[in-house]
Amino acid sequence: MESAKKIFYVLAIISTIVFGTWLTVRWIKETQFDMNCTQYIKRAADANTVETAKEELSKAIAYAEENNLTEGVVSIFLNQPKNDIGYWYKNMTESYSELENLSEDATSLEKTNVLMKLRETLTDQKDSGVSVTIPDGIEIHPSNVLYFWWGLISGIFAVISWFMIVIINEMEQWEEWAA
């Protein structure tokens, strides 16, 4: 029983480290995407001038293009429309084109209308406040399937290994008590 306990301890520690690494990498990827794309989209949506909106949105579009976030779907099992990267990218580039095509002699009302439309396109109003419209899991695209299996398998192994250690400890205590 002692050798089984050692095996489960080793398996539990390794799988916990692998799962912790998965969590850390996901957090890093999400933070990088947030800093290099999401925050620029939010700033474009919040901009008071067309020039500022163009400047900020161009940074988000450049990041998307540099990281091949221009097409595909981030869903693994259900290809939901909300997870279509192509639609998200197209929305951003078309919004940028509208800003770009706005004539220099446009009235203040026309500029305000374009900025309001931009805000409505790039953000969603939720109970918790305004959030940027982005496909869930885009920060790990195109490796969504790999990350799914990495997290699932390492998480299951960690839980089962620690559970088996608890069972072995309980069995040892029961044997001591019964003796």
Side-chain angles (χ1 to χ4, degrees):
M1 179 118 31
E2 196 61 36
S3 64
K5 188 175 178 180
K6 287 179 183 178
I7 291 171
F8 280 114
Y9 266 116
V10 170
L11 185 59
I13 290 169
I14 291 171
S15 57
T16 301
I17 289 170
V18 171
F19 185 73
T21 304
W22 174 80
L23 286 173
T24 303
V25 170
R26 283 295 309 260
W27 177 77
I28 290 169
K29 293 277 192 185
E30 187 175 334
T31 302
Q32 288 173 336
F33 182 81
D34 182 57
M35 289 178 4
N36 296 308
C37 192
T38 307
Q39 289 183 23
Y40 289 118
I41 295 170
K42 178 74 167 95
R43 288 167 57 112
D46 291 343
N48 274 333
T49 66
V50 171
E51 293 77 24
T52 302
K54 280 178 21 183
E55 183 181 324
E56 298 301 316
L57 191 55
S58 70
K59 293 174 186 175
I61 291 170
Y63 179 83
E65 290 170 349
E66 288 169 14
N67 292 280
N68 297 320
L69 300 175
T70 58
E71 62 185 12
V73 179
V74 294
S75 302
I76 296 171
F77 299 112
L78 303 173
N79 289 335
Q80 301 177 40
K82 71 177 186 170
N83 291 330
D84 183 352
I85 294 174
Y87 178 81
W88 169 78
Y89 175 74
K90 185 178 177 185
N91 245 1
M92 280 198 309
T93 55
E94 288 175 348
S95 294
Y96 184 83
S97 293
E98 276 194 46
L99 294 169
E100 188 79 8
N101 293 334
L102 192 64
S103 66
E104 299 236 355
D105 59 339
T107 66
S108 180
L109 181 62
E110 289 172 321
K111 290 178 180 179
T112 300
N113 284 343
V114 169
L115 289 172
M116 285 175 53
K117 184 178 178 185
L118 177 70
R119 182 173 180 83
E120 290 174 359
T121 301
L122 299 178
T123 61
D124 290 324
Q125 183 66 40
K126 297 185 177 179
D127 293 338
S128 59
V130 177
S131 66
V132 175
T133 305
I134 55 170
D136 296 332
I138 192 170
E139 66 276 358
I140 56 170
H141 183 74
S143 304
N144 299 67
V145 173
L146 172 72
Y147 279 89
F148 170 78
W149 288 113
W150 176 9
L152 181 69
I153 292 170
S154 63
I156 288 172
F157 270 96
V159 168
I160 290 173
S161 299
W162 289 112
F163 182 71
M164 289 303 296
I165 290 168
V166 169
I167 289 175
I168 291 170
N169 285 336
E170 289 296 318
M171 288 174 58
E172 286 175 347
Q173 287 178 357
W174 180 258
E175 287 174 0
E176 287 176 14
W177 181 78

